């Protein structure tokens, strides 16, 4: 075996990049996040990891709501901007056209291909650097142009992912398989 | 605004696909998982969502350890197989060459490009369908061939991601940006 032991802090898998939105002191703020994923199917509950000192967390605690907004590759630069600069130092409220949905206090980005509004289910505070915010999805919004045959089309959504430690953003490539199907033909 | 409200159960962003390994009743078992991500930097803690009835969860509770193994696109079919069939019904212990590391009871896949062994920090049982397993990374292993200039190279790792509801696996595409850098040149 030619295995090398490496830094256990790696996260070199493709992590989807989103903008988490929250009203902080009644003003919309957005931060770039790559540490999140779905955690439960029905009801849909997502987990988002946010640094304990992040400005966004103040708003999530104030309103118990937040949004997750999916940028496409053409929004890469503004998304990265929202990851570098804190809402404490720069006003991000006018970077995007903002709209609100049924939960009322979760600012969503009109320019995003897909936006999700969530209500906080729980905030786990036991980790050292980050809090884990669990949110139940209350509604999801997209536009006709991002769908094909009535469902969301990843090629049209054109998302990007982050890999580390190389710190690159990547587009998605080609279809390499059919999930829950191709494995049926695997011969052991 | 031309927003459409859609099914809140969507998860159409690129989710990295991994094989979670655990010894269940002293035999290695692996399941495909796409609902996971890093949740804390130092120490590195990852969250993995696993259905409460999954066979793998028995082993994770038995040993308080598990592994996360990263397949490349050439392992797509066997990975999908591990997502379709339960360890209750099929023996997955001989699908791969298995090795163990410092935690001793977390079976890792020799053929994987990157393998991580973790110790359970907490298991959150409050969601309806899935439990959230929080694990601290104790070690990570790769091979020389997956690195460039001393760091992991996403192109060489050649991972794949899942999108839903279209249920496709995708390779990664092209570099579209530099994280924590390109945003500095964004003019608001």
């Amino acid at each position: 075996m030619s295995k090398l032991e490496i830094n256990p802090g790696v996260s070199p898998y493709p992590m989807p990049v989103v903008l988490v939105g929250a009203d902080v002191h009644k003003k919309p703020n957005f931060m770039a996040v790559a540490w999140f994923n779905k955690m439960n199917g029905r009801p849909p509950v997502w987990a988002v990891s946010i640094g304990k000192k992040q400005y966004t967390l103040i708003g999530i605690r104030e309103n118990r709501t937040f949004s997750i907004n999916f940028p496409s590759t053409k929004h890469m630069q503004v998304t990265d901007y929202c990851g570098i600069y804190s809402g404490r130092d720069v006003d991000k409220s006018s970077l995007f056209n903002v709209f609100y949905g049924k939960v009322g206090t979760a600012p969503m980005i009109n320019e995003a291909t897909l936006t999700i509004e969530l209500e906080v289910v729980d905030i786990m505070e036991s980790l050292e650097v980050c809090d884990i915010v669990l949110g139940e999805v209350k509604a999801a919004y997209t536009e006709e142009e991002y769908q094909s045959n009535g469902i969301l089309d990843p090629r049209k959504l054109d998302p990007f992912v982050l890999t580390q430690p190389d710190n690159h953003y990547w587009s998605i490539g080609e279809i390499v398989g059919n999930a829950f199907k191709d494995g049926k033909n695997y011969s052991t």
Side-chain angles (χ1 to χ4, degrees), chain A residues 69-184:
Chain A
N69 305 271
F70 291 77
S72 72
T73 60
K74 74 179 174 194
H75 305 119
M76 180 278 293
Q77 204 180 7
V78 66
T79 302
D80 196 50
Y81 175 89
C82 289
I84 294 171
Y85 301 104
S86 168
R88 273 195 190 85
D89 304 317
V90 300
D91 180 354
K92 299 186 230 178
S93 66
S94 55
L95 289 176
F96 309 102
N97 290 306
V98 171
F99 72 102
Y100 291 84
K102 52 182 67 168
V103 309
T105 51
M108 292 183 280
I109 297 175
N110 195 50
E111 296 86 338
T113 57
L114 172 68
T115 60
I116 310 265
E117 50 177 347
L118 307 94
E119 281 180 2
V120 172
V121 170
D122 199 3
I123 301 179
M124 281 193 59
E125 299 175 345
S126 59
L127 299 181
E128 289 182 41
V129 183
C130 299
D131 286 344
I132 302 177
V133 180
L134 291 176
E136 182 174 326
V137 180
K138 291 298 173 180
Y141 306 90
T142 188
E143 291 173 45
E144 193 87 37
E145 65 178 296
Y146 303 120
Q147 297 188 315
S148 294
N149 304 315
I151 63 168
L152 289 165
D153 184 333
R155 271 196 215 287
K156 293 178 177 175
L157 292 169
D158 188 23
F160 57 98
V161 295
L162 169 66
T163 55
Q164 292 190 296
D166 59 301
N167 285 345
H168 285 123
Y169 295 128
W170 305 76
S171 60
I172 57 170
E174 299 302 316
I175 291 175
V176 297
N178 301 291
F180 316 113
K181 187 173 172 191
D182 289 350
K184 290 183 181 170

Side-chain angles (χ1 to χ4, degrees), chain A residues 18 20 31 33 35-37 39 46-50 57 60 66-68 118 131-135:
Chain A
V18 292
V20 170
M31 71 176 289
V33 165
W35 292 356
F36 80 98
N37 211 329
M39 290 284 134
W46 296 26
V48 183
S49 168
I50 301 180
L57 211 42
I60 293 177
F66 62 104
S67 69
I68 297 181
L118 307 94
D131 286 344
I132 302 177
V133 180
L134 291 176

Side-chain angles (χ1 to χ4, degrees), chain A residues 1-6:
Chain A
M1 190 179 80
S2 54
K3 296 290 179 187
L4 301 171
E5 190 177 339
I6 56 168

Side-chain angles (χ1 to χ4, degrees), chain A residues 38-72:
Chain A
K38 200 170 181 173
M39 290 284 134
N40 196 67
R42 292 182 190 198
V45 174
W46 296 26
V48 183
S49 168
I50 301 180
K52 289 179 193 291
K53 294 178 183 170
Q54 295 286 342
Y55 191 66
T56 301
L57 211 42
I58 298 170
I60 293 177
R61 286 204 166 87
E62 277 178 344
N63 304 300
R64 306 288 292 177
T65 62
F66 62 104
S67 69
I68 297 181
N69 305 271
F70 291 77
S72 72

